[in-house]
Short mmCIF file of all heavy atoms in Angstrom, two decimals:
data_model
loop_
_atom_site.label_atom_id
_atom_site.label_comp_id
_atom_site.label_asym_id
_atom_site.label_seq_id
_atom_site.Cartn_x
_atom_site.Cartn_y
_atom_site.Cartn_z
N ILE A 623 -71.85 0.24 18.96
CA ILE A 623 -71.70 0.86 20.25
C ILE A 623 -71.44 2.29 20.11
O ILE A 623 -70.71 2.98 20.90
CB ILE A 623 -70.66 0.18 21.06
CG1 ILE A 623 -69.28 0.09 20.29
CG2 ILE A 623 -71.06 -1.24 21.50
CD1 ILE A 623 -68.14 -0.36 21.16
N SER A 624 -71.96 2.98 19.06
CA SER A 624 -71.78 4.36 18.78
C SER A 624 -73.02 5.18 19.10
O SER A 624 -74.16 4.65 18.97
CB SER A 624 -71.36 4.67 17.32
OG SER A 624 -70.11 4.16 17.05
N THR A 625 -72.81 6.42 19.54
CA THR A 625 -73.92 7.34 19.77
C THR A 625 -73.54 8.65 19.29
O THR A 625 -72.34 8.90 18.89
CB THR A 625 -74.14 7.52 21.33
OG1 THR A 625 -73.01 8.09 21.90
CG2 THR A 625 -74.46 6.15 22.00
N PRO A 626 -74.45 9.65 19.15
CA PRO A 626 -74.08 10.96 18.72
C PRO A 626 -73.07 11.54 19.67
O PRO A 626 -73.13 11.29 20.92
CB PRO A 626 -75.38 11.75 18.81
CG PRO A 626 -76.41 10.73 18.62
CD PRO A 626 -75.94 9.45 19.27
N HIS A 627 -72.07 12.25 19.18
CA HIS A 627 -70.99 12.84 20.02
C HIS A 627 -71.63 13.84 20.97
O HIS A 627 -72.32 14.77 20.49
CB HIS A 627 -70.00 13.51 19.10
CG HIS A 627 -68.89 14.13 19.92
ND1 HIS A 627 -68.00 13.47 20.75
CD2 HIS A 627 -68.47 15.45 20.05
CE1 HIS A 627 -67.13 14.34 21.27
NE2 HIS A 627 -67.43 15.60 20.90
N ALA A 628 -71.36 13.66 22.27
CA ALA A 628 -72.02 14.59 23.26
C ALA A 628 -71.12 14.73 24.51
O ALA A 628 -71.39 14.04 25.48
CB ALA A 628 -73.34 14.12 23.62
N PRO A 629 -70.03 15.51 24.36
CA PRO A 629 -69.18 15.71 25.56
C PRO A 629 -69.83 16.44 26.68
O PRO A 629 -70.79 17.22 26.44
CB PRO A 629 -67.99 16.54 25.00
CG PRO A 629 -68.57 17.26 23.88
CD PRO A 629 -69.69 16.38 23.30
N GLY A 630 -69.36 16.25 27.88
CA GLY A 630 -69.94 16.97 29.01
C GLY A 630 -69.52 16.32 30.27
O GLY A 630 -69.05 15.17 30.28
N ALA A 631 -69.53 17.17 31.36
CA ALA A 631 -69.03 16.66 32.59
C ALA A 631 -69.99 15.63 33.37
O ALA A 631 -69.49 14.87 34.17
CB ALA A 631 -68.74 17.84 33.59
N HIS A 632 -71.24 15.70 33.04
CA HIS A 632 -72.23 14.88 33.78
C HIS A 632 -73.06 14.06 32.75
O HIS A 632 -73.28 14.54 31.69
CB HIS A 632 -73.12 15.76 34.67
CG HIS A 632 -72.32 16.63 35.63
ND1 HIS A 632 -71.70 16.07 36.69
CD2 HIS A 632 -72.18 17.94 35.57
CE1 HIS A 632 -71.12 17.07 37.38
NE2 HIS A 632 -71.34 18.15 36.67
N ALA A 633 -73.60 12.94 33.23
CA ALA A 633 -74.33 12.11 32.36
C ALA A 633 -75.60 12.78 31.72
O ALA A 633 -75.85 12.61 30.55
CB ALA A 633 -74.78 10.82 33.06
N LEU A 634 -76.32 13.48 32.60
CA LEU A 634 -77.55 14.14 32.05
C LEU A 634 -77.18 15.20 30.94
O LEU A 634 -77.86 15.32 29.93
CB LEU A 634 -78.27 14.87 33.19
CG LEU A 634 -79.55 15.57 32.81
CD1 LEU A 634 -80.52 14.71 32.21
CD2 LEU A 634 -80.13 16.33 34.02
N ALA A 635 -76.06 15.93 31.20
CA ALA A 635 -75.62 16.86 30.22
C ALA A 635 -75.15 16.19 28.88
O ALA A 635 -75.54 16.67 27.84
CB ALA A 635 -74.47 17.66 30.70
N ARG A 636 -74.60 15.05 29.01
CA ARG A 636 -74.21 14.31 27.81
C ARG A 636 -75.34 13.75 27.03
O ARG A 636 -75.45 13.94 25.78
CB ARG A 636 -73.22 13.19 28.15
CG ARG A 636 -71.82 13.68 28.62
CD ARG A 636 -70.83 12.54 28.72
NE ARG A 636 -71.21 11.52 29.73
CZ ARG A 636 -70.92 11.59 30.99
NH1 ARG A 636 -70.27 12.57 31.46
NH2 ARG A 636 -71.33 10.64 31.87
N VAL A 637 -76.30 13.12 27.71
CA VAL A 637 -77.49 12.61 27.05
C VAL A 637 -78.27 13.71 26.41
O VAL A 637 -78.79 13.59 25.25
CB VAL A 637 -78.31 11.79 28.03
CG1 VAL A 637 -79.64 11.32 27.40
CG2 VAL A 637 -77.49 10.56 28.52
N THR A 638 -78.45 14.84 27.15
CA THR A 638 -79.22 16.03 26.60
C THR A 638 -78.55 16.55 25.32
O THR A 638 -79.22 16.87 24.36
CB THR A 638 -79.30 17.11 27.63
OG1 THR A 638 -79.93 16.58 28.86
CG2 THR A 638 -80.07 18.26 27.12
N ALA A 639 -77.21 16.66 25.43
CA ALA A 639 -76.45 17.12 24.22
C ALA A 639 -76.60 16.15 23.04
O ALA A 639 -76.71 16.56 21.89
CB ALA A 639 -74.98 17.27 24.55
N ALA A 640 -76.65 14.82 23.28
CA ALA A 640 -76.77 13.84 22.17
C ALA A 640 -78.15 14.02 21.57
O ALA A 640 -78.28 13.92 20.33
CB ALA A 640 -76.63 12.50 22.77
N VAL A 641 -79.25 14.16 22.46
CA VAL A 641 -80.53 14.27 21.87
C VAL A 641 -80.67 15.60 21.07
O VAL A 641 -81.26 15.68 20.01
CB VAL A 641 -81.56 14.27 23.04
CG1 VAL A 641 -82.94 14.77 22.51
CG2 VAL A 641 -81.62 12.98 23.72
N ARG A 642 -80.02 16.67 21.62
CA ARG A 642 -80.07 18.02 20.95
C ARG A 642 -79.36 17.88 19.52
O ARG A 642 -79.85 18.47 18.57
CB ARG A 642 -79.44 19.00 21.77
CG ARG A 642 -79.48 20.47 21.23
CD ARG A 642 -78.84 21.50 22.17
NE ARG A 642 -79.37 21.41 23.43
CZ ARG A 642 -78.63 21.18 24.57
NH1 ARG A 642 -77.40 20.82 24.51
NH2 ARG A 642 -79.31 21.20 25.74
N ARG A 643 -78.27 17.17 19.53
CA ARG A 643 -77.54 16.98 18.20
C ARG A 643 -78.45 16.27 17.16
O ARG A 643 -78.42 16.64 16.03
CB ARG A 643 -76.24 16.26 18.35
CG ARG A 643 -75.32 16.20 17.17
CD ARG A 643 -74.07 15.36 17.41
NE ARG A 643 -73.19 16.21 18.31
CZ ARG A 643 -72.35 17.13 17.99
NH1 ARG A 643 -72.26 17.42 16.71
NH2 ARG A 643 -71.64 17.68 18.82
N VAL A 644 -79.15 15.28 17.68
CA VAL A 644 -79.98 14.56 16.72
C VAL A 644 -81.20 15.41 16.27
O VAL A 644 -81.53 15.37 15.11
CB VAL A 644 -80.52 13.24 17.44
CG1 VAL A 644 -81.71 12.61 16.62
CG2 VAL A 644 -79.46 12.27 17.76
N LEU A 645 -81.70 16.21 17.18
CA LEU A 645 -82.87 17.05 16.82
C LEU A 645 -82.57 18.10 15.86
O LEU A 645 -83.33 18.50 15.01
CB LEU A 645 -83.50 17.56 18.05
CG LEU A 645 -84.26 16.60 19.01
CD1 LEU A 645 -84.76 17.33 20.25
CD2 LEU A 645 -85.38 15.95 18.25
N ARG A 646 -81.25 18.56 16.00
CA ARG A 646 -80.80 19.66 15.07
C ARG A 646 -80.55 19.11 13.70
O ARG A 646 -80.74 19.80 12.68
CB ARG A 646 -79.50 20.23 15.59
CG ARG A 646 -79.65 21.23 16.79
CD ARG A 646 -78.41 22.16 16.82
NE ARG A 646 -77.14 21.44 16.85
CZ ARG A 646 -76.47 21.15 18.00
NH1 ARG A 646 -77.00 21.55 19.09
NH2 ARG A 646 -75.36 20.55 17.95
N HIS A 647 -80.14 17.80 13.61
CA HIS A 647 -79.83 17.24 12.29
C HIS A 647 -80.45 15.86 12.17
O HIS A 647 -79.76 14.87 12.09
CB HIS A 647 -78.33 17.15 12.10
CG HIS A 647 -77.50 18.41 12.31
ND1 HIS A 647 -77.64 19.47 11.47
CD2 HIS A 647 -76.86 18.84 13.45
CE1 HIS A 647 -76.92 20.48 11.95
NE2 HIS A 647 -76.42 20.05 13.14
N PRO A 648 -81.82 15.76 12.26
CA PRO A 648 -82.42 14.44 12.29
C PRO A 648 -82.05 13.53 11.03
O PRO A 648 -81.88 12.33 11.22
CB PRO A 648 -83.87 14.71 12.39
CG PRO A 648 -84.05 16.14 11.79
CD PRO A 648 -82.77 16.87 12.23
N ILE A 649 -82.19 14.14 9.93
CA ILE A 649 -81.90 13.27 8.64
C ILE A 649 -80.45 12.82 8.69
O ILE A 649 -80.15 11.69 8.31
CB ILE A 649 -82.30 14.10 7.41
CG1 ILE A 649 -83.79 14.42 7.45
CG2 ILE A 649 -81.89 13.30 6.16
CD1 ILE A 649 -84.20 15.27 6.31
N HIS A 650 -79.55 13.79 8.98
CA HIS A 650 -78.10 13.43 9.01
C HIS A 650 -77.85 12.36 9.98
O HIS A 650 -77.09 11.38 9.75
CB HIS A 650 -77.31 14.71 9.26
CG HIS A 650 -75.93 14.69 8.80
ND1 HIS A 650 -75.17 15.75 8.60
CD2 HIS A 650 -75.24 13.61 8.30
CE1 HIS A 650 -73.99 15.42 8.10
NE2 HIS A 650 -73.96 14.14 7.96
N ALA A 651 -78.50 12.47 11.13
CA ALA A 651 -78.21 11.50 12.23
C ALA A 651 -78.81 10.15 11.79
O ALA A 651 -78.13 9.09 12.01
CB ALA A 651 -78.99 11.98 13.53
N PHE A 652 -79.93 10.07 11.21
CA PHE A 652 -80.51 8.78 10.69
C PHE A 652 -79.59 8.19 9.65
O PHE A 652 -79.36 6.99 9.69
CB PHE A 652 -81.89 9.07 10.07
CG PHE A 652 -82.58 7.81 9.56
CD1 PHE A 652 -83.27 7.02 10.43
CD2 PHE A 652 -82.50 7.45 8.22
CE1 PHE A 652 -83.90 5.89 9.98
CE2 PHE A 652 -83.11 6.34 7.81
CZ PHE A 652 -83.81 5.55 8.61
N ARG A 653 -79.10 9.01 8.73
CA ARG A 653 -78.22 8.46 7.66
C ARG A 653 -76.85 7.98 8.28
O ARG A 653 -76.38 6.91 7.81
CB ARG A 653 -77.88 9.52 6.58
CG ARG A 653 -79.11 9.78 5.71
CD ARG A 653 -78.70 10.90 4.65
NE ARG A 653 -79.86 11.14 3.82
CZ ARG A 653 -79.74 11.98 2.77
NH1 ARG A 653 -78.70 12.81 2.63
NH2 ARG A 653 -80.76 12.19 1.97
N ALA A 654 -76.32 8.66 9.20
CA ALA A 654 -75.13 8.18 9.89
C ALA A 654 -75.31 6.93 10.61
O ALA A 654 -74.43 6.03 10.60
CB ALA A 654 -74.69 9.26 10.85
N LEU A 655 -76.41 6.72 11.23
CA LEU A 655 -76.73 5.51 11.98
C LEU A 655 -76.94 4.34 11.06
O LEU A 655 -76.48 3.15 11.39
CB LEU A 655 -77.94 5.68 12.88
CG LEU A 655 -78.36 4.49 13.71
CD1 LEU A 655 -77.34 4.09 14.69
CD2 LEU A 655 -79.70 4.80 14.44
N PHE A 656 -77.59 4.56 9.88
CA PHE A 656 -77.92 3.34 9.08
C PHE A 656 -77.15 3.34 7.74
O PHE A 656 -77.55 2.77 6.80
CB PHE A 656 -79.38 3.44 8.79
CG PHE A 656 -80.30 3.17 10.00
CD1 PHE A 656 -80.89 4.25 10.69
CD2 PHE A 656 -80.35 1.85 10.50
CE1 PHE A 656 -81.57 3.97 11.79
CE2 PHE A 656 -81.14 1.69 11.60
CZ PHE A 656 -81.80 2.68 12.25
N VAL A 657 -75.99 4.10 7.64
CA VAL A 657 -75.22 4.19 6.50
C VAL A 657 -74.78 2.75 6.08
O VAL A 657 -74.53 1.91 6.87
CB VAL A 657 -73.96 5.10 6.71
CG1 VAL A 657 -73.08 4.47 7.68
CG2 VAL A 657 -73.24 5.29 5.36
N GLY A 658 -74.81 2.56 4.67
CA GLY A 658 -74.65 1.13 4.33
C GLY A 658 -73.23 0.60 4.50
O GLY A 658 -73.04 -0.63 4.83
N ASN A 659 -72.16 1.41 4.34
CA ASN A 659 -70.81 1.00 4.55
C ASN A 659 -70.12 1.96 5.53
O ASN A 659 -69.60 2.94 5.07
CB ASN A 659 -70.08 0.90 3.26
CG ASN A 659 -68.73 0.22 3.29
OD1 ASN A 659 -68.05 0.23 4.36
ND2 ASN A 659 -68.26 -0.35 2.23
N TRP A 660 -70.22 1.67 6.82
CA TRP A 660 -69.80 2.59 7.87
C TRP A 660 -68.35 2.99 7.71
O TRP A 660 -68.02 4.15 7.77
CB TRP A 660 -70.06 1.88 9.21
CG TRP A 660 -69.71 2.81 10.43
CD1 TRP A 660 -70.61 3.65 11.07
CD2 TRP A 660 -68.51 2.90 11.13
NE1 TRP A 660 -69.98 4.22 12.09
CE2 TRP A 660 -68.66 3.80 12.15
CE3 TRP A 660 -67.21 2.26 10.97
CZ2 TRP A 660 -67.69 4.25 13.06
CZ3 TRP A 660 -66.21 2.58 11.88
CH2 TRP A 660 -66.45 3.55 12.89
N ALA A 661 -67.44 1.97 7.45
CA ALA A 661 -66.03 2.33 7.42
C ALA A 661 -65.70 3.22 6.10
O ALA A 661 -64.78 4.04 6.19
CB ALA A 661 -65.22 0.97 7.32
N ARG A 662 -66.38 2.96 5.10
CA ARG A 662 -66.15 3.74 3.85
C ARG A 662 -66.59 5.14 4.02
O ARG A 662 -66.01 6.11 3.37
CB ARG A 662 -66.97 3.15 2.67
CG ARG A 662 -66.63 3.78 1.29
CD ARG A 662 -67.41 2.97 0.26
NE ARG A 662 -67.17 3.57 -1.10
CZ ARG A 662 -66.11 3.32 -1.84
NH1 ARG A 662 -65.31 2.43 -1.50
NH2 ARG A 662 -66.06 3.88 -3.06
N ARG A 663 -67.54 5.47 4.89
CA ARG A 663 -68.08 6.73 5.04
C ARG A 663 -67.60 7.40 6.34
O ARG A 663 -68.04 8.60 6.65
CB ARG A 663 -69.66 6.68 5.15
CG ARG A 663 -70.24 6.27 3.79
CD ARG A 663 -70.22 7.28 2.76
NE ARG A 663 -70.80 6.80 1.56
CZ ARG A 663 -70.02 6.50 0.43
NH1 ARG A 663 -68.69 6.75 0.50
NH2 ARG A 663 -70.56 6.07 -0.71
N THR A 664 -66.81 6.77 7.18
CA THR A 664 -66.50 7.27 8.54
C THR A 664 -64.98 7.42 8.68
O THR A 664 -64.21 6.45 8.51
CB THR A 664 -67.01 6.38 9.62
OG1 THR A 664 -68.46 6.29 9.48
CG2 THR A 664 -66.68 7.00 10.97
N ALA A 665 -64.51 8.63 9.10
CA ALA A 665 -63.16 8.85 9.59
C ALA A 665 -63.17 9.03 11.12
O ALA A 665 -64.09 9.66 11.62
CB ALA A 665 -62.58 10.06 9.01
N ILE A 666 -62.30 8.31 11.77
CA ILE A 666 -62.23 8.41 13.26
C ILE A 666 -61.10 9.35 13.56
O ILE A 666 -59.99 9.09 13.26
CB ILE A 666 -61.95 7.00 13.86
CG1 ILE A 666 -63.03 5.99 13.50
CG2 ILE A 666 -61.93 7.10 15.43
CD1 ILE A 666 -62.69 4.63 13.85
N LEU A 667 -61.49 10.49 14.13
CA LEU A 667 -60.46 11.41 14.50
C LEU A 667 -59.93 11.10 15.92
O LEU A 667 -60.65 11.01 16.89
CB LEU A 667 -61.04 12.87 14.53
CG LEU A 667 -61.59 13.34 13.18
CD1 LEU A 667 -62.13 14.82 13.31
CD2 LEU A 667 -60.50 13.31 12.14
N MET A 668 -58.58 10.95 16.00
CA MET A 668 -57.90 10.68 17.21
C MET A 668 -57.17 11.87 17.68
O MET A 668 -56.16 12.30 17.06
CB MET A 668 -56.97 9.46 17.13
CG MET A 668 -56.31 9.12 18.41
SD MET A 668 -55.55 7.55 18.53
CE MET A 668 -54.29 7.75 17.21
N TYR A 669 -57.64 12.49 18.81
CA TYR A 669 -56.99 13.66 19.33
C TYR A 669 -56.18 13.15 20.50
O TYR A 669 -56.66 12.41 21.40
CB TYR A 669 -58.09 14.72 19.78
CG TYR A 669 -57.46 15.93 20.53
CD1 TYR A 669 -57.06 17.00 19.78
CD2 TYR A 669 -57.42 15.93 21.87
CE1 TYR A 669 -56.56 18.13 20.48
CE2 TYR A 669 -56.90 17.01 22.56
CZ TYR A 669 -56.49 18.12 21.87
OH TYR A 669 -55.98 19.24 22.55
N MET A 670 -54.93 13.58 20.62
CA MET A 670 -54.04 13.30 21.76
C MET A 670 -53.36 14.51 22.29
O MET A 670 -52.97 15.40 21.46
CB MET A 670 -53.03 12.19 21.35
CG MET A 670 -53.52 10.90 20.97
SD MET A 670 -52.27 9.73 20.53
CE MET A 670 -51.81 10.29 18.91
N CYS A 671 -53.16 14.61 23.59
CA CYS A 671 -52.44 15.71 24.10
C CYS A 671 -51.51 15.27 25.24
O CYS A 671 -51.77 14.21 25.86
CB CYS A 671 -53.33 16.83 24.62
SG CYS A 671 -54.49 16.40 25.91
N ALA A 672 -50.50 16.00 25.56
CA ALA A 672 -49.50 15.61 26.47
C ALA A 672 -49.85 16.06 27.88
O ALA A 672 -48.99 16.73 28.59
CB ALA A 672 -48.11 16.14 26.14
N GLU A 673 -51.01 15.77 28.34
CA GLU A 673 -51.47 16.15 29.64
C GLU A 673 -51.08 15.02 30.58
O GLU A 673 -51.31 13.82 30.28
CB GLU A 673 -52.99 16.44 29.73
CG GLU A 673 -53.36 17.80 28.96
CD GLU A 673 -52.82 18.99 29.61
OE1 GLU A 673 -52.62 19.00 30.78
OE2 GLU A 673 -52.62 19.94 28.85
#
Side-chain angles (χ1 to χ4, degrees):
I623 54 172
S624 294
T625 64
H627 177 65
H632 306 289
L634 180 59
R636 291 191 296 272
V637 172
T638 301
V641 172
R642 188 181 299 120
R643 186 179 294 275
V644 172
L645 292 178
R646 283 203 307 265
H647 309 284
I649 296 176
H650 205 163
F652 181 85
R653 287 181 176 178
L655 180 62
F656 295 102
V657 63
N659 189 332
W660 185 89
R662 187 177 177 87
R663 297 284 177 253
T664 304
I666 303 171
L667 297 182
M668 181 166 63
Y669 174 88
M670 294 181 284
C671 61
E673 296 290 335

